[in-house]
Amino acid sequence: MTDTPSSAGSPRPTGKPARQNVTFASGGADAHGYLALPPAGQGPGVIVIQEWWGLTDHIADVTDRLAAAGFVALAPDLYGGNVAHEAAEAFRMMRELPVESGVSLLSGAVDYLLARPEVTSRTVGAVGFCMGGGFVLYLAAHDQRVSAAAPYYGVIQGEVPDFSGLKAQIQGHYGEHDQSIPVATLQGLRETVRKQSGVDADLRVYPAGHAFFNDGRPEVYDPKASAEAWSATLEFLRENVR
């Protein structure tokens, strides 16, 4: 499962900087992210993991949507404030982020989120897109405090994670016409997860392409598939993040 500049579609039309409103310790250094609180002021915690573009307005909006649905949502900034503006740049930035470094920063984000007084859950959910979808799986395999993992068209960079320590339930969302993640590969992923962890991964396929949830990119956005996937994701998180 790999992503390339050609398979990711056209450049994201934005010149805006990364969205950040919180700073937290991670791996002995400061990390940053975008935090959104629910109307009630408290709720279960969810980590939102960016696409290869960076912590964009779209990812901040997804974080806000989760907050509106009752979650305390945090989108960590994996690129340290940088945002890609065209596909080749995004591809380079993704490749320059070691998986181990990304997982370490995300685990620090889990520490921070669970320590916040507004978070009522003992575990967190994780939702991610494209590169972030792959990191959802890496994080869930690494950190047993993740109880619900929802990758959207998750790109796994390099080796498939070792799922032997996985405790999270998995609900994945993929596009039937996604050239970067062939549907035929999903059965192998499902079997690997089941063999190593005993978890039956629910990997759902929609008649859409890559990045179908990104409503900031009308050339790839699929409203019907997005609405169906989002509704399922919210129900999944409510059932599994306690």
Side-chain angles (χ1 to χ4, degrees):
M1 298 181 186
T2 58
D3 207 350
T4 65
S6 60
S7 68
S10 63
R12 178 180 173 82
T14 179
K16 296 181 180 180
R19 292 284 294 274
Q20 299 177 349
N21 62 8
V22 293
T23 300
F24 56 92
S26 180
D30 284 342
H32 308 279
Y34 179 79
L35 179 75
L37 301 178
Q42 62 179 13
V46 176
I47 298 290
V48 184
I49 310 180
Q50 68 194 50
E51 294 177 303
W52 68 348
W53 303 106
L55 183 44
T56 61
D57 286 347
H58 169 65
I59 296 301
D61 179 64
V62 172
T63 308
D64 288 337
R65 288 185 231 175
L66 283 164
F71 298 96
V72 178
L74 172 66
D77 188 346
L78 294 176
Y79 287 168
N82 296 313
V83 173
H85 302 121
E86 51 89 23
E89 182 184 16
F91 183 73
R92 175 185 60 78
M93 291 167 68
M94 179 181 73
R95 290 301 187 193
E96 290 177 353
L97 174 64
V99 170
E100 296 79 5
S101 298
V103 171
S104 176
L105 189 153
L106 292 168
S107 287
V110 174
D111 292 337
Y112 170 74
L113 191 59
L114 288 176
R116 288 195 64 98
E118 303 93 341
V119 174
T120 59
S121 57
R122 293 177 296 175
T123 65
V124 302
V127 181
F129 306 87
C130 182
M131 178 191 80
F135 270 113
V136 163
L137 296 175
Y138 282 112
L139 178 63
H142 170 79
D143 196 325
Q144 296 184 354
R145 297 172 298 174
V146 178
S147 58
Y152 278 62
Y153 31 88
V155 173
I156 295 177
Q157 302 177 61
E159 296 295 324
V160 173
D162 177 0
F163 293 105
S164 58
L166 179 75
K167 297 299 181 184
Q169 295 300 308
I170 297 175
Q171 184 187 90
H173 304 277
Y174 298 86
E176 179 181 359
H177 309 301
D178 188 342
Q179 297 180 0
S180 60
I181 309 172
V183 172
T185 66
L186 298 181
Q187 183 57 31
L189 176 61
R190 187 181 292 111
E191 291 174 355
T192 297
V193 172
R194 182 186 300 117
K195 180 179 179 180
Q196 294 182 353
S197 70
V199 172
D200 287 322
D202 179 7
L203 306 182
R204 305 182 178 198
V205 178
Y206 304 83
H210 190 72
F212 67 80
F213 190 76
N214 191 336
D215 55 2
R217 298 177 59 209
E219 74 278 11
V220 294
Y221 176 57
D222 188 302
K224 183 177 180 180
S226 295
E228 184 178 343
W230 188 244
S231 177
T233 299
L234 293 179
E235 181 179 359
F236 173 67
L237 292 172
R238 289 173 179 140
E239 289 178 354
N240 291 286
V241 182
R242 306 288 183 184

PDB file of all heavy atoms in Angstrom, residues 74-109:
ATOM      1  N   LEU A  74      -8.144  15.837  19.352  1.00  0.00           N
ATOM      2  CA  LEU A  74      -6.811  16.438  19.201  1.00  0.00           C
ATOM      3  C   LEU A  74      -6.174  15.963  17.907  1.00  0.00           C
ATOM      4  O   LEU A  74      -6.050  14.754  17.682  1.00  0.00           O
ATOM      5  CB  LEU A  74      -5.916  16.058  20.376  1.00  0.00           C
ATOM      6  CG  LEU A  74      -4.436  16.444  20.258  1.00  0.00           C
ATOM      7  CD1 LEU A  74      -4.271  17.958  20.254  1.00  0.00           C
ATOM      8  CD2 LEU A  74      -3.617  15.819  21.386  1.00  0.00           C
ATOM      9  N   ALA A  75      -5.770  16.916  17.068  1.00  0.00           N
ATOM     10  CA  ALA A  75      -5.019  16.607  15.849  1.00  0.00           C
ATOM     11  C   ALA A  75      -3.568  17.013  16.059  1.00  0.00           C
ATOM     12  O   ALA A  75      -3.249  18.211  16.018  1.00  0.00           O
ATOM     13  CB  ALA A  75      -5.610  17.343  14.657  1.00  0.00           C
ATOM     14  N   PRO A  76      -2.659  16.075  16.318  1.00  0.00           N
ATOM     15  CA  PRO A  76      -1.244  16.421  16.470  1.00  0.00           C
ATOM     16  C   PRO A  76      -0.650  16.846  15.129  1.00  0.00           C
ATOM     17  O   PRO A  76      -1.053  16.355  14.071  1.00  0.00           O
ATOM     18  CB  PRO A  76      -0.610  15.105  16.958  1.00  0.00           C
ATOM     19  CG  PRO A  76      -1.754  14.230  17.362  1.00  0.00           C
ATOM     20  CD  PRO A  76      -2.910  14.640  16.528  1.00  0.00           C
ATOM     21  N   ASP A  77       0.305  17.749  15.183  1.00  0.00           N
ATOM     22  CA  ASP A  77       0.975  18.231  13.977  1.00  0.00           C
ATOM     23  C   ASP A  77       2.241  17.408  13.756  1.00  0.00           C
ATOM     24  O   ASP A  77       3.243  17.589  14.428  1.00  0.00           O
ATOM     25  CB  ASP A  77       1.320  19.710  14.132  1.00  0.00           C
ATOM     26  CG  ASP A  77       1.836  20.326  12.839  1.00  0.00           C
ATOM     27  OD1 ASP A  77       2.183  19.562  11.914  1.00  0.00           O
ATOM     28  OD2 ASP A  77       1.885  21.558  12.763  1.00  0.00           O
ATOM     29  N   LEU A  78       2.201  16.501  12.796  1.00  0.00           N
ATOM     30  CA  LEU A  78       3.347  15.625  12.530  1.00  0.00           C
ATOM     31  C   LEU A  78       4.450  16.311  11.743  1.00  0.00           C
ATOM     32  O   LEU A  78       5.559  15.783  11.662  1.00  0.00           O
ATOM     33  CB  LEU A  78       2.880  14.375  11.781  1.00  0.00           C
ATOM     34  CG  LEU A  78       1.967  13.425  12.546  1.00  0.00           C
ATOM     35  CD1 LEU A  78       1.519  12.282  11.643  1.00  0.00           C
ATOM     36  CD2 LEU A  78       2.659  12.874  13.784  1.00  0.00           C
ATOM     37  N   TYR A  79       4.166  17.461  11.147  1.00  0.00           N
ATOM     38  CA  TYR A  79       5.150  18.149  10.311  1.00  0.00           C
ATOM     39  C   TYR A  79       5.747  19.383  10.979  1.00  0.00           C
ATOM     40  O   TYR A  79       6.452  20.154  10.320  1.00  0.00           O
ATOM     41  CB  TYR A  79       4.517  18.572   8.989  1.00  0.00           C
ATOM     42  CG  TYR A  79       4.244  17.451   7.994  1.00  0.00           C
ATOM     43  CD1 TYR A  79       3.462  17.691   6.878  1.00  0.00           C
ATOM     44  CD2 TYR A  79       4.767  16.169   8.176  1.00  0.00           C
ATOM     45  CE1 TYR A  79       3.200  16.696   5.956  1.00  0.00           C
ATOM     46  CE2 TYR A  79       4.494  15.165   7.259  1.00  0.00           C
ATOM     47  CZ  TYR A  79       3.714  15.433   6.149  1.00  0.00           C
ATOM     48  OH  TYR A  79       3.456  14.445   5.235  1.00  0.00           O
ATOM     49  N   GLY A  80       5.469  19.598  12.251  1.00  0.00           N
ATOM     50  CA  GLY A  80       6.073  20.725  12.958  1.00  0.00           C
ATOM     51  C   GLY A  80       5.746  22.082  12.388  1.00  0.00           C
ATOM     52  O   GLY A  80       6.588  22.981  12.358  1.00  0.00           O
ATOM     53  N   GLY A  81       4.518  22.254  11.914  1.00  0.00           N
ATOM     54  CA  GLY A  81       4.081  23.547  11.398  1.00  0.00           C
ATOM     55  C   GLY A  81       4.117  23.679   9.888  1.00  0.00           C
ATOM     56  O   GLY A  81       3.613  24.662   9.341  1.00  0.00           O
ATOM     57  N   ASN A  82       4.700  22.727   9.198  1.00  0.00           N
ATOM     58  CA  ASN A  82       4.782  22.797   7.735  1.00  0.00           C
ATOM     59  C   ASN A  82       3.530  22.218   7.080  1.00  0.00           C
ATOM     60  O   ASN A  82       2.952  21.243   7.568  1.00  0.00           O
ATOM     61  CB  ASN A  82       6.013  22.033   7.244  1.00  0.00           C
ATOM     62  CG  ASN A  82       7.304  22.659   7.725  1.00  0.00           C
ATOM     63  OD1 ASN A  82       7.490  23.865   7.631  1.00  0.00           O
ATOM     64  ND2 ASN A  82       8.204  21.843   8.263  1.00  0.00           N
ATOM     65  N   VAL A  83       3.139  22.817   5.974  1.00  0.00           N
ATOM     66  CA  VAL A  83       2.004  22.343   5.184  1.00  0.00           C
ATOM     67  C   VAL A  83       2.433  22.267   3.725  1.00  0.00           C
ATOM     68  O   VAL A  83       3.040  23.204   3.202  1.00  0.00           O
ATOM     69  CB  VAL A  83       0.787  23.287   5.329  1.00  0.00           C
ATOM     70  CG1 VAL A  83      -0.322  22.886   4.374  1.00  0.00           C
ATOM     71  CG2 VAL A  83       0.279  23.294   6.759  1.00  0.00           C
ATOM     72  N   ALA A  84       2.148  21.148   3.077  1.00  0.00           N
ATOM     73  CA  ALA A  84       2.485  20.992   1.665  1.00  0.00           C
ATOM     74  C   ALA A  84       1.419  21.651   0.800  1.00  0.00           C
ATOM     75  O   ALA A  84       0.230  21.640   1.135  1.00  0.00           O
ATOM     76  CB  ALA A  84       2.604  19.518   1.311  1.00  0.00           C
ATOM     77  N   HIS A  85       1.838  22.202  -0.328  1.00  0.00           N
ATOM     78  CA  HIS A  85       0.909  22.897  -1.211  1.00  0.00           C
ATOM     79  C   HIS A  85       0.771  22.223  -2.570  1.00  0.00           C
ATOM     80  O   HIS A  85      -0.055  22.641  -3.382  1.00  0.00           O
ATOM     81  CB  HIS A  85       1.352  24.355  -1.384  1.00  0.00           C
ATOM     82  CG  HIS A  85       1.438  25.069  -0.076  1.00  0.00           C
ATOM     83  ND1 HIS A  85       2.600  25.653   0.385  1.00  0.00           N
ATOM     84  CD2 HIS A  85       0.518  25.248   0.896  1.00  0.00           C
ATOM     85  CE1 HIS A  85       2.385  26.185   1.571  1.00  0.00           C
ATOM     86  NE2 HIS A  85       1.141  25.958   1.900  1.00  0.00           N
ATOM     87  N   GLU A  86       1.560  21.199  -2.813  1.00  0.00           N
ATOM     88  CA  GLU A  86       1.399  20.409  -4.033  1.00  0.00           C
ATOM     89  C   GLU A  86       1.869  18.993  -3.764  1.00  0.00           C
ATOM     90  O   GLU A  86       2.571  18.730  -2.792  1.00  0.00           O
ATOM     91  CB  GLU A  86       2.114  21.055  -5.224  1.00  0.00           C
ATOM     92  CG  GLU A  86       3.564  21.433  -4.960  1.00  0.00           C
ATOM     93  CD  GLU A  86       4.498  20.300  -5.284  1.00  0.00           C
ATOM     94  OE1 GLU A  86       4.105  19.429  -6.080  1.00  0.00           O
ATOM     95  OE2 GLU A  86       5.616  20.267  -4.745  1.00  0.00           O
ATOM     96  N   ALA A  87       1.455  18.049  -4.616  1.00  0.00           N
ATOM     97  CA  ALA A  87       1.583  16.630  -4.302  1.00  0.00           C
ATOM     98  C   ALA A  87       3.031  16.173  -4.150  1.00  0.00           C
ATOM     99  O   ALA A  87       3.338  15.368  -3.267  1.00  0.00           O
ATOM    100  CB  ALA A  87       0.880  15.800  -5.377  1.00  0.00           C
ATOM    101  N   ALA A  88       3.925  16.662  -5.001  1.00  0.00           N
ATOM    102  CA  ALA A  88       5.317  16.228  -4.900  1.00  0.00           C
ATOM    103  C   ALA A  88       5.925  16.656  -3.562  1.00  0.00           C
ATOM    104  O   ALA A  88       6.702  15.911  -2.947  1.00  0.00           O
ATOM    105  CB  ALA A  88       6.139  16.801  -6.056  1.00  0.00           C
ATOM    106  N   GLU A  89       5.563  17.844  -3.104  1.00  0.00           N
ATOM    107  CA  GLU A  89       6.047  18.323  -1.811  1.00  0.00           C
ATOM    108  C   GLU A  89       5.477  17.475  -0.680  1.00  0.00           C
ATOM    109  O   GLU A  89       6.183  17.118   0.270  1.00  0.00           O
ATOM    110  CB  GLU A  89       5.650  19.789  -1.630  1.00  0.00           C
ATOM    111  CG  GLU A  89       6.140  20.413  -0.329  1.00  0.00           C
ATOM    112  CD  GLU A  89       5.639  21.827  -0.150  1.00  0.00           C
ATOM    113  OE1 GLU A  89       4.685  22.229  -0.855  1.00  0.00           O
ATOM    114  OE2 GLU A  89       6.196  22.537   0.708  1.00  0.00           O
ATOM    115  N   ALA A  90       4.183  17.139  -0.766  1.00  0.00           N
ATOM    116  CA  ALA A  90       3.563  16.295   0.254  1.00  0.00           C
ATOM    117  C   ALA A  90       4.211  14.920   0.298  1.00  0.00           C
ATOM    118  O   ALA A  90       4.460  14.364   1.370  1.00  0.00           O
ATOM    119  CB  ALA A  90       2.066  16.166  -0.032  1.00  0.00           C
ATOM    120  N   PHE A  91       4.511  14.370  -0.876  1.00  0.00           N
ATOM    121  CA  PHE A  91       5.167  13.061  -0.959  1.00  0.00           C
ATOM    122  C   PHE A  91       6.538  13.111  -0.289  1.00  0.00           C
ATOM    123  O   PHE A  91       6.903  12.212   0.477  1.00  0.00           O
ATOM    124  CB  PHE A  91       5.296  12.659  -2.424  1.00  0.00           C
ATOM    125  CG  PHE A  91       5.901  11.305  -2.643  1.00  0.00           C
ATOM    126  CD1 PHE A  91       5.190  10.156  -2.364  1.00  0.00           C
ATOM    127  CD2 PHE A  91       7.189  11.177  -3.155  1.00  0.00           C
ATOM    128  CE1 PHE A  91       5.744   8.900  -2.572  1.00  0.00           C
ATOM    129  CE2 PHE A  91       7.751   9.934  -3.365  1.00  0.00           C
ATOM    130  CZ  PHE A  91       7.029   8.792  -3.079  1.00  0.00           C
ATOM    131  N   ARG A  92       7.285  14.176  -0.544  1.00  0.00           N
ATOM    132  CA  ARG A  92       8.608  14.316   0.074  1.00  0.00           C
ATOM    133  C   ARG A  92       8.494  14.428   1.593  1.00  0.00           C
ATOM    134  O   ARG A  92       9.246  13.779   2.329  1.00  0.00           O
ATOM    135  CB  ARG A  92       9.313  15.554  -0.495  1.00  0.00           C
ATOM    136  CG  ARG A  92      10.655  15.852   0.184  1.00  0.00           C
ATOM    137  CD  ARG A  92      11.265  17.155  -0.314  1.00  0.00           C
ATOM    138  NE  ARG A  92      10.409  18.299  -0.074  1.00  0.00           N
ATOM    139  CZ  ARG A  92      10.278  18.894   1.111  1.00  0.00           C
ATOM    140  NH1 ARG A  92      10.924  18.439   2.180  1.00  0.00           N
ATOM    141  NH2 ARG A  92       9.478  19.947   1.235  1.00  0.00           N
ATOM    142  N   MET A  93       7.567  15.236   2.065  1.00  0.00           N
ATOM    143  CA  MET A  93       7.423  15.431   3.498  1.00  0.00           C
ATOM    144  C   MET A  93       6.994  14.146   4.192  1.00  0.00           C
ATOM    145  O   MET A  93       7.458  13.832   5.287  1.00  0.00           O
ATOM    146  CB  MET A  93       6.428  16.565   3.757  1.00  0.00           C
ATOM    147  CG  MET A  93       6.972  17.927   3.338  1.00  0.00           C
ATOM    148  SD  MET A  93       5.729  19.244   3.259  1.00  0.00           S
ATOM    149  CE  MET A  93       5.318  19.436   4.979  1.00  0.00           C
ATOM    150  N   MET A  94       6.118  13.384   3.563  1.00  0.00           N
ATOM    151  CA  MET A  94       5.703  12.104   4.124  1.00  0.00           C
ATOM    152  C   MET A  94       6.890  11.151   4.220  1.00  0.00           C
ATOM    153  O   MET A  94       7.090  10.490   5.248  1.00  0.00           O
ATOM    154  CB  MET A  94       4.596  11.484   3.266  1.00  0.00           C
ATOM    155  CG  MET A  94       4.118  10.124   3.783  1.00  0.00           C
ATOM    156  SD  MET A  94       2.813   9.389   2.746  1.00  0.00           S
ATOM    157  CE  MET A  94       3.774   8.890   1.303  1.00  0.00           C
ATOM    158  N   ARG A  95       7.693  11.088   3.161  1.00  0.00           N
ATOM    159  CA  ARG A  95       8.829  10.182   3.135  1.00  0.00           C
ATOM    160  C   ARG A  95       9.904  10.585   4.138  1.00  0.00           C
ATOM    161  O   ARG A  95      10.671   9.738   4.612  1.00  0.00           O
ATOM    162  CB  ARG A  95       9.432  10.119   1.726  1.00  0.00           C
ATOM    163  CG  ARG A  95       8.566   9.412   0.716  1.00  0.00           C
ATOM    164  CD  ARG A  95       8.273   8.005   1.129  1.00  0.00           C
ATOM    165  NE  ARG A  95       7.579   7.241   0.101  1.00  0.00           N
ATOM    166  CZ  ARG A  95       6.996   6.074   0.304  1.00  0.00           C
ATOM    167  NH1 ARG A  95       7.001   5.541   1.515  1.00  0.00           N
ATOM    168  NH2 ARG A  95       6.380   5.436  -0.669  1.00  0.00           N
ATOM    169  N   GLU A  96       9.972  11.863   4.469  1.00  0.00           N
ATOM    170  CA  GLU A  96      10.988  12.344   5.407  1.00  0.00           C
ATOM    171  C   GLU A  96      10.568  12.189   6.867  1.00  0.00           C
ATOM    172  O   GLU A  96      11.347  12.506   7.772  1.00  0.00           O
ATOM    173  CB  GLU A  96      11.323  13.808   5.117  1.00  0.00           C
ATOM    174  CG  GLU A  96      12.086  13.988   3.812  1.00  0.00           C
ATOM    175  CD  GLU A  96      12.373  15.445   3.480  1.00  0.00           C
ATOM    176  OE1 GLU A  96      11.852  16.335   4.205  1.00  0.00           O
ATOM    177  OE2 GLU A  96      13.090  15.701   2.494  1.00  0.00           O
ATOM    178  N   LEU A  97       9.358  11.690   7.093  1.00  0.00           N
ATOM    179  CA  LEU A  97       8.877  11.455   8.459  1.00  0.00           C
ATOM    180  C   LEU A  97       9.016   9.970   8.775  1.00  0.00           C
ATOM    181  O   LEU A  97       8.215   9.160   8.297  1.00  0.00           O
ATOM    182  CB  LEU A  97       7.414  11.885   8.594  1.00  0.00           C
ATOM    183  CG  LEU A  97       6.743  11.563   9.924  1.00  0.00           C
ATOM    184  CD1 LEU A  97       7.402  12.317  11.079  1.00  0.00           C
ATOM    185  CD2 LEU A  97       5.251  11.867   9.860  1.00  0.00           C
ATOM    186  N   PRO A  98      10.019   9.568   9.578  1.00  0.00           N
ATOM    187  CA  PRO A  98      10.150   8.155   9.926  1.00  0.00           C
ATOM    188  C   PRO A  98       8.914   7.670  10.681  1.00  0.00           C
ATOM    189  O   PRO A  98       8.362   8.401  11.529  1.00  0.00           O
ATOM    190  CB  PRO A  98      11.396   8.119  10.821  1.00  0.00           C
ATOM    191  CG  PRO A  98      12.144   9.375  10.501  1.00  0.00           C
ATOM    192  CD  PRO A  98      11.093  10.391  10.159  1.00  0.00           C
ATOM    193  N   VAL A  99       8.481   6.462  10.386  1.00  0.00           N
ATOM    194  CA  VAL A  99       7.307   5.918  11.057  1.00  0.00           C
ATOM    195  C   VAL A  99       7.502   5.911  12.569  1.00  0.00           C
ATOM    196  O   VAL A  99       6.602   6.288  13.327  1.00  0.00           O
ATOM    197  CB  VAL A  99       7.006   4.496  10.542  1.00  0.00           C
ATOM    198  CG1 VAL A  99       5.947   3.826  11.412  1.00  0.00           C
ATOM    199  CG2 VAL A  99       6.529   4.551   9.092  1.00  0.00           C
ATOM    200  N   GLU A 100       8.687   5.531  13.010  1.00  0.00           N
ATOM    201  CA  GLU A 100       8.943   5.462  14.453  1.00  0.00           C
ATOM    202  C   GLU A 100       8.793   6.835  15.109  1.00  0.00           C
ATOM    203  O   GLU A 100       8.239   6.955  16.210  1.00  0.00           O
ATOM    204  CB  GLU A 100      10.344   4.918  14.721  1.00  0.00           C
ATOM    205  CG  GLU A 100      10.575   3.491  14.271  1.00  0.00           C
ATOM    206  CD  GLU A 100      10.831   3.362  12.772  1.00  0.00           C
ATOM    207  OE1 GLU A 100      10.930   4.410  12.091  1.00  0.00           O
ATOM    208  OE2 GLU A 100      10.920   2.224  12.290  1.00  0.00           O
ATOM    209  N   SER A 101       9.275   7.879  14.433  1.00  0.00           N
ATOM    210  CA  SER A 101       9.161   9.228  14.979  1.00  0.00           C
ATOM    211  C   SER A 101       7.707   9.675  15.044  1.00  0.00           C
ATOM    212  O   SER A 101       7.270  10.299  16.016  1.00  0.00           O
ATOM    213  CB  SER A 101       9.972  10.215  14.133  1.00  0.00           C
ATOM    214  OG  SER A 101      11.344   9.889  14.139  1.00  0.00           O
ATOM    215  N   GLY A 102       6.961   9.365  13.998  1.00  0.00           N
ATOM    216  CA  GLY A 102       5.551   9.732  13.989  1.00  0.00           C
ATOM    217  C   GLY A 102       4.769   9.036  15.085  1.00  0.00           C
ATOM    218  O   GLY A 102       3.953   9.655  15.777  1.00  0.00           O
ATOM    219  N   VAL A 103       5.019   7.727  15.274  1.00  0.00           N
ATOM    220  CA  VAL A 103       4.320   6.975  16.318  1.00  0.00           C
ATOM    221  C   VAL A 103       4.692   7.506  17.694  1.00  0.00           C
ATOM    222  O   VAL A 103       3.846   7.619  18.588  1.00  0.00           O
ATOM    223  CB  VAL A 103       4.630   5.476  16.198  1.00  0.00           C
ATOM    224  CG1 VAL A 103       4.098   4.710  17.408  1.00  0.00           C
ATOM    225  CG2 VAL A 103       4.027   4.912  14.915  1.00  0.00           C
ATOM    226  N   SER A 104       5.961   7.860  17.887  1.00  0.00           N
ATOM    227  CA  SER A 104       6.403   8.404  19.171  1.00  0.00           C
ATOM    228  C   SER A 104       5.677   9.716  19.472  1.00  0.00           C
ATOM    229  O   SER A 104       5.201   9.936  20.599  1.00  0.00           O
ATOM    230  CB  SER A 104       7.913   8.634  19.148  1.00  0.00           C
ATOM    231  OG  SER A 104       8.348   9.240  20.348  1.00  0.00           O
ATOM    232  N   LEU A 105       5.581  10.601  18.479  1.00  0.00           N
ATOM    233  CA  LEU A 105       4.880  11.867  18.693  1.00  0.00           C
ATOM    234  C   LEU A 105       3.404  11.617  18.988  1.00  0.00           C
ATOM    235  O   LEU A 105       2.811  12.255  19.880  1.00  0.00           O
ATOM    236  CB  LEU A 105       5.048  12.760  17.471  1.00  0.00           C
ATOM    237  CG  LEU A 105       4.544  14.206  17.608  1.00  0.00           C
ATOM    238  CD1 LEU A 105       5.327  15.126  16.683  1.00  0.00           C
ATOM    239  CD2 LEU A 105       3.053  14.332  17.293  1.00  0.00           C
ATOM    240  N   LEU A 106       2.808  10.679  18.283  1.00  0.00           N
ATOM    241  CA  LEU A 106       1.396  10.376  18.493  1.00  0.00           C
ATOM    242  C   LEU A 106       1.149   9.777  19.872  1.00  0.00           C
ATOM    243  O   LEU A 106       0.132  10.075  20.514  1.00  0.00           O
ATOM    244  CB  LEU A 106       0.896   9.429  17.401  1.00  0.00           C
ATOM    245  CG  LEU A 106       0.820  10.031  15.993  1.00  0.00           C
ATOM    246  CD1 LEU A 106       0.601   8.936  14.961  1.00  0.00           C
ATOM    247  CD2 LEU A 106      -0.285  11.083  15.909  1.00  0.00           C
ATOM    248  N   SER A 107       2.060   8.958  20.351  1.00  0.00           N
ATOM    249  CA  SER A 107       1.920   8.414  21.707  1.00  0.00           C
ATOM    250  C   SER A 107       1.991   9.523  22.746  1.00  0.00           C
ATOM    251  O   SER A 107       1.282   9.489  23.765  1.00  0.00           O
ATOM    252  CB  SER A 107       2.999   7.357  21.980  1.00  0.00           C
ATOM    253  OG  SER A 107       2.733   6.166  21.265  1.00  0.00           O
ATOM    254  N   GLY A 108       2.844  10.522  22.499  1.00  0.00           N
ATOM    255  CA  GLY A 108       2.884  11.686  23.372  1.00  0.00           C
ATOM    256  C   GLY A 108       1.567  12.445  23.347  1.00  0.00           C
ATOM    257  O   GLY A 108       1.118  12.981  24.373  1.00  0.00           O
ATOM    258  N   ALA A 109       0.938  12.485  22.183  1.00  0.00           N
ATOM    259  CA  ALA A 109      -0.370  13.128  22.068  1.00  0.00           C
ATOM    260  C   ALA A 109      -1.425  12.360  22.866  1.00  0.00           C
ATOM    261  O   ALA A 109      -2.318  12.965  23.477  1.00  0.00           O
ATOM    262  CB  ALA A 109      -0.776  13.232  20.607  1.00  0.00           C
TER     263      ALA A 109
END
